[in-house]
Structures are given as structure tokens and as C-alpha cells.
Amino acid sequence: MIDILNLALPYFGLIFIGYACGKYKRLPEAGLEWMNFFLLYVSLPALFFRTLAKTPLEELNNPPFVIATTLATASAFFLSMFGVKFIAKLSTRESAMAGLGGGYGNIGYMGPGLALATLGAKATAPVALIFCFDTIFLFTIAPLLMVLTDGERRPLLPTILLVAKQILLHPLIVASYFGVMVAAFHVPVPVALDNMFQFLQSAAAPVALFALGVTVALRPFERVPWEVPGVIMVKLILHPLIVVGLLLLLGPFPPVWAATALLLASLPPALNVFVIARQYDTWIEPASTLVLVGTFVSVVTLTSVMWMIKTGVIVFP
């Protein structure tokens, strides 16, 4: 259990460091813009590309597993979205961002490291599959809903073309399909370029966690918006349960693959929810609260799942 805590707690510590710095040195919030740009357009694409490019394509050929995990993510997304829309009476645009919080786990920053440390090298392929297809789904549905709810009236065809352009040219989508193509055609990545991508990849988690802490410090919340606990419950409780149900329904799968899917579904809301909320200027303060509180709650829920997997309390057929 100490080893598991040693793996998970540094991620939470970086948020505290950012929060402390934000409280101590109140620089203008505009200074975060370049940091967010670096995350979305430089560091995260390098992480997505490098993870997928290094995974053999034959290991990625498992359609039932892709269906089970992606359907679980979609279920959590729409459950959160429609739940807050009809219960909290949020706008469709805000509800879509809440849906992103309920379905998008921290698969980029925390997922690969925690899965490989907990389950070993055999977790690489399922991590890459979940990483790729969750990203494609979430970064398709989010821009689509943002365009459809931006308040501008457009003819149907230009709207479809605009949505397609935003999806196909989104930096994380571009990085994902380039990574898959490199894996499919066994294209060697030059050492110098790969080393640069590794530097950028390594910067993603610290920068994002620090930025989140600073943002929370600069935008102190006096209350937790009452829709946030419901979204956290979907992400940390219902999403893992949905994954288990779909794995049992569509399986059996290798135990390591099933355990990897459960572990990644148990991750807290992704820091990208906050980054994307800022990008679209929608649901920003609740998004930062969601990520912060969800991350703290996951200290208990995520480490419990990791412990149950490691000790054999949870066993997949």
C-alpha cells in the first residue's frame, strides 16, 4: 500500500505547489494562457503520439475490448451531461463540459504510469487502446457540442464542415492518428526527434498539475457547485462499475487487460477538462473545482482499487 501511495501522491503534491505559488505570488491570470497553449498544442500531443507510436499495431487489434471501454466512457459522459442538464438546469453547453468531466479520466497524466507500475508491461497495449479511442470519442463529441451550442446560426453544410475541421485538426486527434500510422507502418522515429518528444511528454503532467493549482488559487471558490459531487460520483464510482459490467458482458478478456480497464476508469477527472473549459470559456470555475475535488477524493477511491487489484480482491475470469 505504501508503494501505491508513493506512486499516486506526487501527482496531488504538484497541485498543492501550484496553489501555494498562486497564493504567494499573485501574477496576472493572463500569464496562464501560454502555459495552457503549451499543454494543448505541444506537450500533450507529444505524449499521445509517443505512446501510440511505440505500441505494436497487432497488439491494438481487439475490437470487443475497444467497444467495451469506449462505450463505458460514452455512457459516463452522457449520464453526467443529461444528469446535470435536467437536475441542475445547466445550459447544453455547460452540461456538455460537465459530461466531459464525468467521462474523461486522467488517462494521459496518471494512467500509463500507474497502470504499468501496478500491472507491469502487459498493460501497455490496453492502456494504448483506451488512450486512443477514449481520446477520439471525447475530442470528437466535445468540439461537436461546442460548435452546435455557440449561439451562432449557420447553414447545415458549413456547420458540418466546421465541426469536421475542428475534430480532424484538433492537436490531440492529429497526434493520435499520426501515432497509430507510425505504429502501423513501422516508421522509425529519429532518435533526436524521439528525445525531444520525450522531453515534451515529461512536461505534460507537471505543467498541467501546477497550472491547475495556480488557477484554483487565483479563482478561490467559496462553495462547491452542487452539480460537481454528482459528476464526481459518476466518474469515480459509476464509470468503473459500467466498465466491469461491459467487460463481463463482452468478454472474457485477459485478466491484465480487464484490470487495466478498471484502473483507468477509476482515475479522477482529467486535467484536460479544466484546460478545455478555458479553451471554450465555458463552465471554467466548476471544472477547476471538479478536477481538484475529484483528485482529492480519488486518493481514497483510486488507491483502494489499486490495492484490490494488487491483492487479488478483484479477480476477472
Side-chain angles (χ1 to χ4, degrees):
M1 191 63 177
I2 294 298
D3 291 338
I4 292 172
L5 289 173
N6 286 338
L7 287 169
L9 291 182
Y11 294 93
F12 309 132
L14 282 169
I15 297 175
F16 283 118
I17 292 173
Y19 182 86
C21 291
K23 285 292 188 183
Y24 173 72
K25 191 75 172 178
R26 288 190 168 273
L27 300 174
E29 188 176 0
L32 289 172
E33 293 297 329
W34 274 112
M35 192 173 286
N36 290 327
F37 180 89
F38 172 78
L39 279 171
L40 189 62
Y41 287 90
V42 183
S43 186
L44 284 174
L47 170 64
F48 280 34
F49 170 82
R50 198 165 182 269
T51 299
L52 294 169
K54 290 184 177 294
T55 303
L57 189 64
E58 54 271 17
E59 293 185 19
L60 302 177
N61 186 21
N62 195 328
F65 183 80
V66 170
I67 292 171
T69 54
T70 309
L71 185 57
T73 297
S75 299
F77 177 93
F78 287 114
L79 186 60
S80 298
M81 177 179 171
F82 290 116
V84 301
K85 180 171 178 58
F86 293 113
I87 297 175
K89 307 299 183 184
L90 298 184
S91 67
T92 301
R93 191 173 180 84
E94 293 172 322
S95 300
M97 200 57 60
L100 199 63
Y104 192 3
N106 211 329
I107 54 176
Y109 308 135
M110 300 176 71
L114 290 180
L116 294 175
T118 305
L119 300 167
K122 291 184 179 179
T124 301
V127 165
L129 280 174
I130 295 170
F131 190 75
C132 180
F133 286 95
D134 273 16
T135 298
I136 290 173
F137 166 73
L138 292 165
F139 283 93
T140 297
I141 193 69
L144 174 63
L145 291 171
M146 290 301 102
V147 168
L148 294 178
T149 58
D150 65 1
E152 295 185 23
R153 300 181 62 87
R154 300 184 181 90
L156 179 60
L157 183 58
T159 300
I160 293 174
L161 292 176
L162 178 63
V163 170
K165 180 181 177 181
Q166 290 200 4
I167 292 169
L168 293 175
L169 298 182
H170 192 285
L172 299 183
I173 294 292
V174 172
S176 295
Y177 56 65
F178 270 108
V180 172
M181 287 172 61
V182 167
F185 295 104
H186 305 285
V187 179
V189 179
V191 174
L193 190 61
D194 186 59
N195 288 340
M196 183 179 69
F197 286 155
Q198 186 175 13
F199 282 138
L200 293 171
Q201 169 185 330
S202 300
V207 171
L209 289 161
F210 181 85
L212 174 63
V214 172
T215 299
V216 172
L218 296 180
R219 289 170 164 262
F221 55 88
E222 298 178 357
R223 65 179 184 85
V224 176
W226 75 275
E227 70 268 17
V228 166
V231 176
I232 291 173
M233 188 177 121
V234 171
K235 183 68 208 70
L236 298 181
I237 305 298
L238 295 184
H239 190 185
L241 292 176
I242 294 170
V243 162
V244 170
L246 288 172
L247 289 173
L248 294 174
L249 180 64
L250 299 176
F253 300 103
V256 171
W257 284 55
T260 301
L262 173 59
L263 181 60
L264 266 61
S266 303
L267 292 169
L271 298 170
N272 282 345
V273 176
F274 156 69
V275 175
I276 295 167
R278 286 183 60 88
Q279 179 186 3
Y280 290 106
D281 195 25
T282 298
W283 209 61
I284 297 174
E285 191 165 344
S288 65
T289 304
L290 170 76
V291 176
L292 182 65
V293 176
T295 300
F296 289 154
V297 173
S298 74
V299 174
V300 176
T301 59
L302 176 60
T303 51
S304 297
V305 170
M306 293 170 70
W307 177 80
M308 287 188 284
I309 290 173
K310 289 286 284 185
T311 58
V313 174
I314 297 177
V315 179
F316 289 94

